[in-house]
Amino acid sequence: MSKKNVVIGFMGTQLDSGQGAGRWEKWRPTISLVQHEDTLIDRLELLYATKYEALAQTLVRDIANVSPDTVVNLVPMDVADPWDFGVMYAALYDWARGYRFDPAHEQYWAHITTGTHVAQICMFLMVESRFIPGVLLQTAPPKKQERGNPGSYTLIDLDLSRYDVLAQRFSQAHTEALEFLKSGIPTRNKRFNALIEEIERVAVRSQAPVLLTGPTGAGKSHLARRMFELKKSRHQVQGDFVEVNCATLRGDGAASTLFGHKKGAFTGAAADRAGLLRTAHQGVLFLDEIGELGLDEQAMLLKAVEEKRFLPMGSDREVSSDFQLIAGTNRDLRVDVAQGRFREDLFARINLWSYTLPGLAQRPEDLEPNVEHLLTRAAAETGRAVRFNAEAKTRYLQFAKSSEALWSGNFRDLSASVTRMATLADGGRISAGLVDAEIQRLRWLWQPAGDMQTPEVDLDAILPVDAASKLDLFDRLQLEAVIGICRESLTLSDAGRRLFDQSRAQRSVVNDADRLRKYLLKFGLTWEAIRTPR
């Protein structure tokens, strides 16, 4: 059983008008709807202003004359100002909310040829937002006016999936935004790519604060700037990107730098200062290492974020600034809140969108594309292309992905490493010898961390009562070493890579985390249980 065709549309006070027999010589959009021989309109919901009651009744009679099977429902819709978007949208919204749509048995066409431009736009918005569950209907007059010629009509489905060209363009724009946030680097780490996909949606849809956490050098500052530039390209911000490292702010200078001051507010305040919050008006303020802010500055920042108003130092008059806040930190602010170093209310306010950027060692799949990106960038900066030879590239990436490569400085370490090799490469080729020298340099760089003694492990505090005393010395020493490595590692997989650094190369299927998990279970232990002593 086919669905009934239901048209919803405004009466056109000009286009639908006409008196006497001459009206049939004129193309009238609403009448044309029922003049198509191959299309039956089962019902017409005709929205009109009651002061045009006579015209509405004429249309009802004319439709009955042309299409007796079409039911016309006259829907009075009087608005104070038909050119006011808010008033017109509210009237149409209220009608749609009260209308009993039956999509299972009826299909709805929203006619957008008649009505004021404001009414047409509001009808479009109702369909786009699915308050009217249908498609748009656009009618057009015939090229040659003649009696009974209904012209043409077009149905427009706003579901982008129905329009391949629009869907492809939307997908392309989405892909371009992701590549922009990743600086054009074809990253392969699934977790990182999923994180960037969500950040892209938030960046273009939200003005709420964003919190970026992760180790130093993970790219928080770079990502914040890319988010701003993406918003700028979409005309969502008009102001500037203002960045400040809160670890550099101390004493009166902290509040003065952020919130500004009046002349004479403190010793050395020789002139008024606007402050960075006002500089970021209609733009983005990136506060890196926000956990370093003092409690007083945190309280002032909370008010500025929530109310867009704050008091400069030494002033008794508030100023305003409308900015989006992006905060960065390498600390766990939950711990700081619990220990009273960070305000709980500010943390709750900036934690709506919170993302943890993984360190480079947690993204071994992305080492190769990042190395290639850095070489390309170096070529653009120096005008000198540099490439690895095959042996050198294999050797460097093998080391870079091994447990020896700590990447404690994350992308700063990698960028410095690639820059050194690109600078020293003769003839634009990075040789195996150059890679070996760089590997030695990196080992030296990370040596202090590598030489750190593994903290003493108290097995009696971890294992069940008397279980440790029943272990052979061999098993006891091995278990203590394994637990020590686990406590130094960020993840179970990271610990597994370090512990199985040689045997993993001989395996066809590598699952270091699973191997380590099964080893711990032999002693009744889990990853969570050994991370911190009891």
Side-chain angles (χ1 to χ4, degrees):
M1 179 178 174
S2 60
K3 294 183 180 181
K4 292 183 177 181
N5 296 324
V6 179
V7 173
I8 303 164
F10 289 94
M11 183 179 71
T13 58
Q14 298 297 322
L15 293 176
D16 284 332
S17 65
Q19 299 294 327
R23 71 183 184 277
W24 294 103
E25 306 296 331
K26 173 188 175 184
W27 179 76
R28 292 179 288 170
T30 300
I31 298 298
S32 75
L33 293 171
V34 299
Q35 290 180 308
H36 295 274
E37 294 181 358
D38 58 345
T39 303
L40 172 63
I41 303 301
D42 295 284
R43 189 169 72 253
L44 172 61
E45 304 288 350
L46 190 60
L47 315 178
Y48 76 105
T50 54
K51 65 179 179 179
Y52 296 105
E53 181 73 32
L55 176 58
Q57 294 298 335
T58 298
L59 290 177
V60 171
R61 290 191 295 270
D62 288 349
I63 290 172
N65 183 39
V66 177
S67 179
D69 293 330
T70 300
V71 176
V72 180
N73 290 332
L74 291 179
V75 181
M77 187 169 289
D78 292 314
V79 295
D81 183 358
W83 292 95
D84 185 301
F85 275 98
V87 172
M88 177 57 71
Y89 185 85
L92 194 56
Y93 174 84
D94 290 341
W95 174 81
R97 287 295 294 250
Y99 189 80
R100 297 185 65 178
F101 290 101
D102 184 12
H105 302 99
E106 298 178 341
Q107 54 186 2
Y108 301 96
W109 299 349
H111 192 201
I112 58 170
T113 305
T114 52
T116 65
H117 294 321
V118 170
Q120 293 171 10
I121 293 172
C122 290
M123 184 71 79
F124 174 94
L125 294 173
M126 294 299 292
V127 173
E128 183 186 44
S129 60
R130 306 301 294 171
F131 284 117
I132 295 178
V135 299
L136 299 178
L137 168 64
Q138 191 169 28
T139 52
K143 294 181 179 179
K144 183 179 180 181
Q145 289 282 356
E146 55 184 350
R147 184 183 179 89
N149 191 333
S152 61
Y153 72 88
T154 303
L155 296 176
I156 307 169
D157 193 338
L158 294 180
D159 183 353
L160 293 180
S161 65
R162 308 285 180 87
Y163 280 83
D164 289 342
V165 173
L166 290 177
Q168 289 171 6
R169 183 66 191 93
F170 180 83
S171 177
Q172 180 183 349
H174 174 64
T175 301
E176 289 173 352
L178 294 180
E179 290 180 352
F180 182 82
L181 287 179
K182 296 190 292 183
S183 301
I185 305 171
T187 53
R188 303 165 185 168
N189 183 274
K190 291 183 179 179
R191 175 189 168 195
F192 181 74
N193 286 339
L195 179 147
I196 292 297
E197 283 211 24
E198 182 170 322
I199 289 177
E200 182 266 339
R201 293 197 296 272
V202 171
V204 299
R205 298 179 189 177
S206 175
Q207 295 293 323
V210 176
L211 177 62
L212 302 177
T213 64
T216 300
K220 299 184 291 294
S221 176
H222 179 75
L223 180 58
R225 182 174 289 276
R226 299 295 280 187
M227 290 171 65
F228 162 77
E229 291 171 351
L230 180 60
K231 296 171 78 72
K232 190 86 168 178
S233 70
R234 303 289 180 89
H235 308 288
Q236 294 178 340
V237 292
Q238 289 77 47
D240 297 325
F241 178 79
V242 178
E243 177 179 359
V244 60
N245 189 325
C246 297
T248 65
L249 305 179
R250 292 289 183 269
D252 290 338
S256 172
T257 299
L258 293 175
F259 307 101
H261 64 246
K262 299 294 290 183
K263 178 180 178 180
F266 54 88
T267 302
D272 289 353
R273 181 177 186 178
L276 294 181
L277 267 67
R278 292 176 72 183
T279 304
H281 179 59
Q282 294 189 333
V284 170
L285 175 66
F286 177 55
L287 294 183
D288 199 9
E289 303 305 342
I290 193 173
E292 300 293 335
L293 274 184
L295 292 174
D296 290 343
E297 287 75 30
Q298 292 176 28
M300 296 171 69
L301 178 62
L302 176 62
K303 178 180 175 66
V305 170
E306 290 187 332
E307 302 179 15
K308 309 299 182 185
R309 297 180 293 110
F310 54 91
L311 275 171
M313 293 184 65
S315 175
D316 54 7
R317 178 175 298 179
E318 288 185 331
V319 296
S320 62
S321 180
D322 186 5
F323 58 89
Q324 181 177 8
L325 175 66
I326 301 179
T329 181
N330 63 1
R331 296 161 58 159
D332 188 340
L333 293 183
R334 296 171 300 177
V335 174
D336 287 353
V337 168
Q339 297 178 353
R341 292 195 302 266
F342 199 85
R343 292 182 62 98
E344 185 175 8
D345 48 7
L346 178 59
F347 177 66
R349 189 67 181 85
I350 66 175
N351 196 41
L352 173 62
W353 300 111
S354 180
Y355 300 100
T356 300
L357 303 188
L360 187 57
Q362 296 174 274
R363 296 167 51 192
E365 315 95 318
D366 291 340
L367 279 161
E368 183 174 358
N370 273 283
V371 167
E372 293 298 329
H373 169 74
L374 290 169
L375 285 175
T376 301
R377 191 176 72 180
E381 292 174 352
T382 64
R384 176 172 171 265
V386 176
R387 292 288 182 269
F388 284 93
N389 65 38
E391 180 187 359
K393 185 175 183 179
T394 299
R395 192 173 300 185
Y396 185 78
L397 290 176
Q398 185 176 18
F399 169 78
K401 296 177 182 180
S402 72
S403 59
E404 280 190 274
L406 303 182
W407 299 117
S408 52
N410 290 291
F411 290 95
R412 292 192 180 103
D413 280 357
L414 183 64
S415 178
S417 176
V418 173
T419 297
R420 285 191 291 265
M421 290 187 293
T423 302
L424 296 173
D426 292 328
R429 303 296 289 179
I430 300 175
S431 65
L434 191 56
V435 165
D436 288 340
E438 177 59 25
I439 289 175
Q440 291 304 314
R441 185 189 294 266
L442 290 172
R443 283 173 173 156
W444 171 83
L445 175 67
W446 298 321
Q447 191 65 41
D451 280 349
M452 289 175 59
Q453 295 296 317
T454 301
E456 185 176 344
V457 175
D458 184 0
L459 291 182
D460 290 318
I462 299 174
L463 296 174
V465 177
D466 296 332
S469 63
K470 298 177 182 179
L471 293 177
D472 289 336
L473 178 60
F474 175 86
D475 290 330
R476 186 183 185 96
L477 293 175
Q478 184 182 61
L479 181 58
E480 287 177 350
V482 168
I483 293 175
I485 292 294
C486 288
R487 289 180 174 173
E488 291 176 356
S489 304
L490 295 175
T491 65
L492 184 66
S493 296
D494 179 44
R497 280 193 295 271
R498 295 179 63 185
L499 290 165
F500 306 118
D501 61 325
Q502 298 301 317
S503 61
R504 69 194 307 270
Q506 279 75 51
R507 288 175 170 258
S508 57
V509 178
V510 179
N511 193 334
D512 301 321
D514 187 58
R515 292 179 68 187
L516 177 55
R517 186 184 293 108
K518 289 176 179 176
Y519 171 80
L520 293 173
L521 283 175
K522 287 169 50 180
F523 302 95
L525 298 174
T526 65
W527 169 259
E528 293 76 14
I530 64 173
R531 290 290 288 163
T532 54
R534 292 178 183 175

